Amino acid sequence: MSAIQKEELLKQYFGHPAFRLGQETLIDALLSGRDVLGVMPTGAGKSICYQIPALMLPGITLVVSPLISLMKDQVTALKQAGVAAAYINSSLSLAQYLEVLRRAKSGIYKIIYVAPERLATEGFLDFAENAELSLLAVDEAHCVSQWGQDFRPSYLRIAEFCATLPKRPTVGAFTATATDEVKRDVVKLLELKDPLELTTGFDRPNLYFSVETPGSKDAWLNAFLSERREQSGIVYCATRKNVEKVCDMLRERGYAATRYHAGLEDEERRANQENFLYDRARVMVATNAFGMGIDKSNVSYVVHYNMPKNIESYYQEAGRAGRDGTRAECVLLYSALDVRTAKFLIENGEENEALTEEERAFNRERDLARLVRMAGYGKTTDCLRRYILQYFGEKAPIHCANCGNCCGKLEEFDITTEAQKILSGVTRVERKYRSGLGVTMIVRMLHGSKEQRVLELGLDKLPTYGVMQDTDRSTIRSYIDRLIEKEFLCLTDGEYPVPRTTERTKDVLFHDEQVIIYAKKRERPTKKKAAAAQTGDGSLFAALRELRFEIAQREHVPAYLVFSNATLQDMAAKQPETMTEFLDVNGVGSRKAELYGEAFLDCIRAWKEANGKEKSGIWT
Ligand code: ADP
């Protein structure tokens, strides 16, 4: 009975035909009154695990969530789906707060999202003690652990809150952080009772991973984005300065880009985030301050302009792409210089005063070890998906057939002559300037630049001045990167690293060692071309997306809350003609069919008339 009911609710409210891996097990446990700890990667569908029980259990489900923006989004999505929900956090005025409490007391809401700080307040405790609370779901449960990166002291009060209630609700904890320390902390500090622990696989099959090592990141980014003007995506940079620079560069080139970092005023951050969520700005350029709690499901790519400090951060940030299950791309722009900068920041970053010197040394060592693994990702020629999954302790096939290394054919290039020119140039610079010169100056010298600074330094007097005048600067730069990787050069430590010769330099200069590099062909897998055709101008998908945008504008909600990209794609493929067929589209529940069905059916009808009625061959 309950199995049928569960699936009916999944279809009716959320429009999904079946549960994903792990969801049903967690739901069953919660329904039977057992605590759970659900560890699933971002985008796996954790919310459904407590939202379905919330609909089935008597009384109210409280969801503790750390971020205001996330709560608002989730509640809007639930309301759209026809579920009575509300949130309580500091964004409400006193009058609004009291009104929500009044309604909650009268039993209107099935689900209430609440900020952890609120649990301990008198008014809320009073309400909670007198309400029928069946379930307490703790979202982003890793925030309770000091091991995690997002520790929130207020999460430590959750267990206490449960203990003060006349009847302890079932507790479900959910997180995407899988390390043992964090899991142990969550069970202990939230006082979970004999919880069912479930960790689902970390693989995200719809994500296409790749690493690029362009000589000019800006030129690469420009080319990449020019093919994706209609898509939303995030570009992560390591520093605020880079965010500003990249965002300005993109704006100058006519992209609707916006920015986000901790140095901006609250008001601007809020507005920029909203512009991105509502698709008014397609590209978000941000530091890692952006993202936690961002539940935008139609992010089609995440580009890392700079390399993050570890694979945990990378996978979390990259994982913000493709949450709706449609194909999305995660690209890391790798450069040896970024590794050096990250190392410098770990070694010279802000010290946590609360730690002893021994603990700090331990943390530094740990962070450096993690950085080495991250840099390994940038350099590996093996399957990238496997590299990540193995890092998280999962088994994975040798080839995934869906990452840059598995799909891109590697081509061999002999760059011995170029390497000799560069190494000879660095040797001469080293002799002339004891403290060396940065990569940019070396590139200019080799290219024969007439810029004032080059002439002032007398670089035009060196015999290697201009020896690579026929090679463009970005290519010279990428060769230098490859020589560093192969240890024919090294970079000094410090804030301004400079290239230096190594023991191996002379092997190339004097002992005829060949320098071979492997670079990817610029070919993309065919699947992607098909996907582009499906979403190109004039396609039914484009027409549906346009309609979605209009509705979203009218109703003041982000477009993906009307329907996700995955839903629009399924709609474009199925081309429903009747309301019954419309309900068969993945992601269409009864409430949304009622709200938007007619408009979308009209749109499909009109598109078919304009494009001939044939179902097949529409993408070609
Ligand atoms: P998480 O919290 O784990 O990061 P969400 O709960 O936000 O993930 O879900 C991510 C996306 O997956 C949402 O767009 C949601 O609609 C979709 N989703 C969840 N469960 C299913 C399902 N059973 N079938 C299809 N899509 C689903």
Side-chain angles (χ1 to χ4, degrees):
M1 158 83 180
S2 138
I4 302 171
Q5 216 185 337
K6 259 183 330 207
E7 296 207 325
E8 273 173 5
L9 291 173
L10 182 69
K11 178 67 201 151
Q12 183 189 339
Y13 285 100
F14 304 101
H16 305 312
F19 285 108
R20 284 188 185 156
L21 192 72
Q23 286 180 327
E24 207 170 355
T25 315
L26 290 168
I27 291 171
D28 286 343
L30 289 175
L31 288 175
S32 74
R34 184 165 173 198
D35 287 357
V36 305
L37 168 57
V39 184
M40 295 165 140
T42 308
K46 291 186 277 296
S47 335
I48 295 279
C49 300
Y50 54 81
Q51 287 169 348
I52 294 275
L55 292 169
M56 297 175 74
L57 291 166
I60 299 171
T61 289
L62 279 188
V63 184
V64 180
S65 172
L67 283 172
I68 294 177
S69 62
L70 183 85
M71 283 188 215
K72 188 162 169 255
D73 241 32
Q74 293 263 20
V75 169
T76 314
L78 283 170
K79 285 188 185 160
Q80 292 276 99
V83 180
Y87 60 85
I88 294 177
N89 60 34
S90 59
S91 75
L92 299 184
S93 65
L94 182 63
Q96 286 170 322
Y97 171 56
L98 294 175
E99 179 59 15
V100 172
L101 273 191
R102 190 189 65 73
R103 291 193 196 190
K105 281 181 193 156
S106 70
I108 289 183
Y109 304 122
K110 283 306 287 175
I111 304 184
I112 301 175
Y113 282 75
V114 58
E117 302 77 30
R118 285 284 156 152
L119 295 175
T121 58
E122 213 172 290
F124 190 78
L125 263 178
D126 180 50
F127 153 72
E129 281 168 7
N130 294 299
E132 186 184 3
L133 298 182
S134 305
L135 177 61
L136 180 87
V138 184
D139 209 1
E140 313 282 356
H142 60 278
C143 290
V144 78
S145 167
Q146 304 200 35
W147 285 97
Q149 287 163 346
D150 312 304
F151 173 57
R152 304 239 163 179
S154 51
Y155 263 59
L156 293 169
R157 311 283 295 271
I158 296 175
E160 198 179 308
F161 167 77
C162 279
T164 58
L165 297 174
K167 183 172 171 290
R168 180 186 183 274
T170 308
V171 181
F174 298 90
T175 176
T177 308
T179 61
D180 282 340
E181 295 98 335
V182 172
K183 281 202 245 182
R184 266 202 305 274
D185 265 7
V186 170
V187 173
K188 188 168 134 221
L189 300 171
L190 292 179
E191 294 177 12
L192 301 184
K193 287 195 187 139
D194 175 34
L196 174 96
E197 284 192 39
L198 186 135
T199 305
T200 61
F202 263 55
D203 189 17
R204 299 273 310 276
N206 63 314
L207 298 185
Y208 178 89
F209 291 96
S210 62
V211 176
E212 302 282 345
T213 48
S216 161
K217 292 184 180 184
D218 288 352
W220 182 93
L221 192 59
N222 191 26
F224 178 84
L225 294 183
S226 70
E227 291 174 11
R228 291 165 182 75
R229 282 190 186 270
E230 291 301 314
Q231 299 179 359
S232 272
I234 307 173
V235 178
Y236 277 110
C237 301
T239 60
R240 299 174 188 183
K241 211 168 98 191
N242 268 1
V243 168
E244 300 288 335
K245 188 192 82 167
V246 172
C247 185
D248 288 347
M249 183 271 294
L250 293 178
R251 282 183 185 160
E252 268 166 33
R253 296 186 180 176
Y255 294 100
T258 187
R259 59 188 184 165
Y260 191 103
H261 60 69
L264 300 174
E265 296 289 330
D266 284 356
E267 182 50 32
E268 186 186 344
R269 275 211 306 252
R270 199 195 52 72
N272 293 355
Q273 173 167 322
E274 201 163 290
N275 282 338
F276 179 63
L277 293 180
Y278 283 73
D279 291 335
R280 292 189 286 260
R282 292 274 178 198
V283 191
M284 170 57 89
V285 187
T287 59
N288 62 2
F290 177 75
M292 184 171 158
I294 298 300
D295 189 19
K296 185 174 165 67
S297 72
N298 63 339
V299 175
S300 300
Y301 57 83
V302 171
V303 173
H304 276 80
Y305 190 89
N306 302 113
M307 193 185 78
K309 288 205 283 279
N310 53 50
I311 302 242
E312 284 90 343
S313 308
Y314 180 67
Y315 202 50
Q316 191 178 43
E317 287 157 22
R320 297 196 172 113
R323 291 179 65 133
D324 62 1
T326 58
R327 191 181 160 75
E329 292 171 88
C330 308
V331 192
L332 169 68
L333 301 186
Y334 177 83
S335 85
L337 200 63
D338 283 350
V339 182
R340 204 33 74 105
T341 311
K343 184 161 179 259
F344 176 82
L345 289 175
I346 291 173
E347 285 169 342
N348 301 281
E350 267 176 36
E351 297 284 12
N352 184 342
E353 297 300 331
L355 301 180
T356 64
E357 182 43 47
E358 204 176 320
E359 285 166 334
R360 279 183 223 160
F362 171 82
N363 284 354
R364 263 198 306 274
E365 285 307 308
R366 181 196 62 195
D367 291 349
L368 286 173
R370 288 181 179 172
L371 176 66
V372 168
R373 303 286 299 275
M374 181 71 239
Y377 177 83
K379 291 188 280 192
T380 184
T381 46
D382 295 338
C383 173
L384 293 171
R385 186 179 308 278
R386 178 178 159 90
Y387 190 96
I388 294 175
L389 293 177
Q390 281 193 329
Y391 180 84
F392 289 116
E394 273 189 41
K395 288 199 172 63
I398 292 183
H399 281 285
C400 73
N402 191 27
C403 76
N405 286 0
C406 286
C407 298
K409 292 188 194 73
L410 293 181
E411 249 182 323
E412 204 180 271
F413 295 93
D414 183 337
I415 59 158
T416 311
T417 314
E418 289 82 354
Q420 286 168 342
K421 290 177 182 170
I422 292 169
L423 296 178
S424 160
V426 175
T427 310
R428 288 174 197 274
V429 164
E430 218 166 37
R431 274 193 218 135
K432 193 169 161 93
Y433 306 94
R434 283 194 153 266
S435 51
L437 290 176
V439 175
T440 307
M441 274 302 151
I442 290 174
V443 171
R444 286 181 187 171
M445 181 271 294
L446 291 165
H447 193 247
S449 155
K450 299 210 165 36
E451 275 147 278
Q452 198 182 348
R453 183 87 188 113
V454 174
L455 306 180
E456 272 169 14
L457 285 165
L459 291 176
D460 55 332
K461 306 286 183 309
L462 293 179
T464 45
Y465 176 78
V467 283
M468 297 183 81
Q469 62 185 2
D470 296 332
T471 313
D472 66 67
R473 290 185 190 192
S474 63
T475 308
I476 303 177
R477 187 178 269 273
S478 78
Y479 288 158
I480 294 180
D481 250 357
R482 306 311 277 270
L483 292 173
I484 293 169
E485 258 168 49
K486 290 182 171 291
E487 297 179 355
F488 292 119
L489 286 176
C490 65
L491 276 176
T492 56
D493 287 329
E495 197 170 358
Y496 301 104
V498 304
R500 290 272 183 202
T501 52
T502 67
E503 278 297 299
R504 300 201 59 204
T505 306
K506 53 182 179 312
D507 295 341
V508 178
L509 286 180
F510 312 114
H511 306 300
D512 291 333
E513 177 155 347
Q514 261 193 322
V515 184
I516 306 289
I517 60 168
Y518 294 89
K520 280 167 218 148
K521 272 191 180 168
R522 290 246 151 237
E523 229 170 66
R524 294 274 173 186
T526 45
K527 243 201 256 168
K528 233 194 90 213
K529 283 185 191 146
Q534 284 180 20
T535 54
D537 286 349
S539 67
L540 175 54
F541 178 82
L544 296 173
R545 191 176 50 197
E546 189 58 32
L547 172 62
R548 177 180 70 176
F549 185 72
E550 281 165 23
I551 293 176
Q553 292 287 85
R554 200 170 56 228
E555 300 195 352
H556 303 290
V557 292
Y560 61 90
L561 289 184
V562 176
F563 283 129
S564 69
N565 278 358
T567 300
L568 294 193
Q569 277 179 13
D570 198 42
M571 206 180 287
K574 289 187 175 142
Q575 298 184 25
E577 290 178 357
T578 63
M579 198 49 108
T580 317
E581 286 175 7
F582 190 70
L583 274 162
D584 196 36
V585 173
N586 290 346
V588 176
S590 44
R591 165 94 174 146
K592 287 206 188 164
E594 208 177 288
L595 285 176
Y596 310 125
E598 280 310 324
F600 279 90
L601 286 172
D602 280 349
C603 173
I604 294 167
R605 225 171 282 136
W607 186 88
K608 277 172 150 179
E609 267 163 31
N611 291 275
K613 298 217 179 224
E614 284 300 298
K615 262 199 187 191
S616 58
I618 53 163
W619 306 132
T620 52

